Amino acid sequence: MPKPIVSIVTPFKNTEKFLSECLQSILKQTFTNWELVIVDDGSTDASFHLVDQFANLDKRIKLYKNPGSGIISALQFAFTKTSGNFITRMDSDDIMTSNKLEVLHANLIKYGQGHIAIGQVKYFREDGLNEGFISYENWLNQLTETGTNFSEIYKECVIPSPCWMVYRADFIACDGFNPNTYPEDYDLAFRFYKHNLTCIPCSETLHLWRDYSSRTSRTHEHYAQNNFLELKVNYFIELDYQASRPLVIWGAGRKGKTVACLLQNQNIPFYWICDNPKKIGKDIYNVTLHDVDYLKSLNNPHCLITVANKNEQQIIKNQLERLGLKLASDYFFYC
């Protein structure tokens, strides 16, 4: 067999119900020079046996058992078994469109190293999606359409975890799956951002993303909201915080308070503003809350917006732009 060009990395655990559909979608790819490195992370159902049957029929499927435990360990081990010049990840409960690998690979060939190829996604669920998933899908696809994903990286994970592809050399430079940090997909997105990879715009839906009540991202403590906020704050301090500029938190709700605590834990000073008259003038965590006009008195501030309401976010964005502040350099949305 010729050396595979694209290596697909897939961990799985107890996804017997969905694996056949996932594997069939990989086998139907119009781009055929791939290898699937698929690792069982301690399944107790018939998942391993099912994948083994596929592997016996197609030598491009390379099945292993995780010598460690957990999805990060499975990803790390899987990568050691890859040989392709391009790396991508796939989830064992999802479905690829037939042209997914072809489009992602072609975009990387066209744009070269230093880029990340992504595609638009479509969520699906047997009993229907809730508004949160629909909103996330629309937001993510709008960013992907223009390749501006990193402009809102502190809001949510801007790289769909099972719908990206990069050059192997870039993946290694970003430290791949090595960090033992959850949520691992968001952490990897931050490292792509840290190493200045450029997102390639894409207008095609390339991945069908399955939601169900027992999905790991819904149930495991590693994906709790406090982990996301801590990850965001840590990367902001590392990558975008400028000690020479006054830092401002905008919003004093639950997320605003959590961000404030995380900043104080790392001795990062900040000002705090909000538009709630019941909170203005009061102290929270020994920091006085000011009204939004206070922002005008600060010299060259940069802001963390912790207000979740979409309409209010647009109003805030308009206010900041009238002050000459720019998204992703002077202000960042945190929800």
Side-chain angles (χ1 to χ4, degrees):
M1 292 180 63
K3 179 183 175 182
I5 293 175
V6 172
S7 293
I8 309 164
V9 174
T10 301
F12 70 93
K13 182 175 183 177
N14 295 335
T15 50
E16 173 189 4
K17 181 178 179 181
F18 311 118
L19 264 166
S20 289
E21 198 170 10
C22 171
L23 294 171
Q24 288 288 357
S25 75
I26 297 173
L27 291 170
K28 292 177 181 177
Q29 290 298 297
T30 54
F31 182 94
T32 60
N33 195 352
W34 52 261
E35 65 175 353
L36 171 63
V37 180
I38 184 166
V39 176
D40 181 13
D41 183 31
S43 293
T44 55
D45 62 5
S47 294
F48 184 89
H49 177 68
L50 189 155
V51 178
D52 192 45
Q53 290 179 315
F54 276 86
N56 287 331
L57 296 173
D58 195 315
K59 298 305 179 185
R60 295 174 297 178
I61 300 175
K62 301 173 182 179
L63 172 62
Y64 301 92
K65 289 194 174 183
N66 185 10
S69 177
I71 189 171
I72 291 179
S73 174
L75 290 167
Q76 291 169 342
F77 177 73
F79 181 65
T80 68
K81 300 298 182 181
T82 63
S83 58
N85 293 327
F86 300 88
I87 305 298
T88 186
R89 175 179 163 180
M90 178 61 179
D91 285 348
S92 64
D93 39 16
D94 293 344
I95 300 170
M96 292 184 175
T97 62
S98 61
N99 64 334
K100 176 181 175 180
L101 296 182
E102 180 180 359
V103 171
L104 295 179
H105 176 258
N107 279 342
L108 284 176
I109 292 296
K110 177 180 178 181
Y111 286 87
Q113 285 187 226
H115 289 83
I116 175 170
I118 50 179
Q120 297 199 22
V121 299
K122 180 69 176 177
Y123 271 110
F124 69 102
R125 183 183 170 112
E126 290 181 358
D127 56 354
L129 294 170
N130 65 37
E131 286 299 319
F133 279 91
I134 295 172
S135 176
Y136 177 67
E137 173 192 305
N138 291 335
W139 169 78
L140 185 58
N141 287 340
Q142 287 171 4
L143 293 173
T144 301
E145 182 83 25
T146 56
T148 56
N149 301 61
F150 290 137
S151 68
E152 298 195 18
I153 191 167
Y154 294 103
K155 200 170 187 178
E156 296 277 0
C157 186
V158 292
I159 304 296
S161 61
C163 195
W164 54 264
M165 185 184 292
V166 294
Y167 278 83
R168 185 184 195 90
D170 285 331
F171 188 70
I172 292 172
C174 293
D175 209 17
F177 298 125
N178 287 332
N180 193 34
T181 303
Y182 288 97
E184 83 291 337
D185 52 348
Y186 204 174
D187 183 64
L188 180 59
F190 271 112
R191 283 181 280 114
F192 286 152
Y193 171 62
K194 177 180 178 179
H195 285 81
N196 298 311
L197 297 191
T198 300
C199 294
I200 302 171
C202 182
S203 59
E204 295 188 58
T205 299
L206 301 180
H207 187 88
L208 306 181
W209 214 341
R210 189 190 305 270
D211 178 48
Y212 53 99
S213 57
S214 59
R215 189 174 184 130
T216 302
S217 59
R218 276 180 168 268
T219 60
H220 202 285
E221 61 181 355
H222 288 154
Y223 303 95
Q225 185 59 236
N226 60 313
N227 288 335
F228 280 76
L229 281 172
E230 185 172 1
L231 188 76
K232 294 178 190 183
V233 169
N234 288 342
Y235 270 112
F236 172 76
I237 293 171
E238 178 185 357
L239 302 177
D240 287 300
Y241 173 60
Q242 300 176 50
S244 62
R245 303 175 66 182
L247 178 62
V248 178
I249 297 176
W250 188 320
R254 180 176 58 83
K255 287 186 179 180
K257 292 175 182 176
T258 302
V259 169
C261 284
L262 290 168
L263 289 172
Q264 287 185 330
N265 289 342
Q266 298 200 44
N267 298 313
I268 302 295
F270 59 87
Y271 297 90
W272 206 341
I273 65 176
C274 74
D275 58 3
N276 185 339
K278 294 181 180 180
K279 296 180 179 179
I280 294 169
K282 296 184 177 180
D283 285 7
I284 300 179
Y285 310 143
N286 296 315
V287 179
T288 301
L289 272 74
H290 301 277
D291 62 28
V292 296
D293 285 336
Y294 187 78
L295 185 64
K296 299 175 183 177
S297 68
L298 300 176
N299 181 34
N300 195 26
H302 56 326
C303 307
L304 305 181
I305 314 302
T306 66
V307 178
N309 182 277
K310 298 294 187 294
N311 291 330
E312 290 183 20
Q313 284 184 357
Q314 187 58 53
I315 293 172
I316 291 170
K317 184 177 181 180
N318 293 340
Q319 289 176 286
L320 292 171
E321 290 182 350
R322 282 197 294 270
L323 294 175
L325 302 182
K326 297 181 180 179
L327 177 65
S329 59
D330 300 318
Y331 66 93
F332 308 85
F333 284 103
Y334 260 61
C335 54

